[in-house]
Amino acid sequence: MNQSTMQLITAKIERALEQIRVLKSEKTDLEALVASLHESLSEKDKTINILKETEGQLHSEIRSLQEALNERDSKLQVAEDGLLQSIEALNKTLGIEAESSPPGLFDMREGNA
């Protein structure tokens, strides 16, 4: 082999080695990026799990509050029914007709309370 052929081969080898170095560097950068993305996804998964747990707790609290509200409404209805019966009894005792004109002492029909 002559000198010029050796220089040409050497130059090609040097370019190939430089490309290998560049590719190795890019590979390292990409591996770091992938690791960062995995870490980020892991953090997001943790956040999603926390949100799911919180959502479950909130649904449970809402159900509990709804049950308490329904119970309160039921007690209010019972109390209202008892009050209306007492008013009717009081009106009868006082001799006041609920349907008469003028209205009775305690007229609890809707819109007249």
Side-chain angles (χ1 to χ4, degrees):
M1 270 206 269
N2 65 23
Q3 184 70 20
S4 66
T5 305
M6 285 296 279
Q7 288 176 342
L8 183 62
I9 292 173
T10 303
K12 286 184 179 186
I13 291 173
E14 287 175 357
R15 279 192 299 248
L17 290 173
E18 181 58 30
Q19 286 179 338
I20 290 171
R21 281 191 285 273
V22 169
L23 290 173
K24 281 184 178 181
S25 175
E26 289 176 357
K27 179 185 174 194
T28 302
D29 292 346
L30 288 173
E31 286 173 341
L33 178 61
V34 167
S36 173
L37 290 173
H38 279 296
E39 184 178 321
S40 177
L41 284 174
S42 177
E43 288 298 316
K44 287 181 181 184
D45 285 344
K46 288 177 187 176
T47 302
I48 288 170
N49 288 334
I50 290 170
L51 289 173
K52 284 180 181 179
E53 289 174 13
T54 302
E55 179 186 28
Q57 291 170 352
L58 289 174
H59 281 299
S60 177
E61 288 179 27
I62 288 170
R63 277 192 300 276
S64 176
L65 290 171
Q66 186 64 46
E67 289 171 3
L69 183 61
N70 291 342
E71 184 178 332
R72 187 210 61 176
D73 286 348
S74 176
K75 287 179 180 179
L76 282 173
Q77 186 62 48
V78 168
E80 181 182 359
D81 291 345
L83 178 61
L84 288 175
Q85 289 175 358
S86 296
I87 290 171
E88 286 178 20
L90 182 57
N91 281 340
K92 285 181 184 176
T93 301
L94 295 173
I96 301 171
E97 291 291 323
E99 299 297 323
S100 69
S101 256
L105 180 63
F106 298 103
D107 188 358
M108 292 299 290
R109 289 176 292 168
E110 195 153 326
N112 295 323

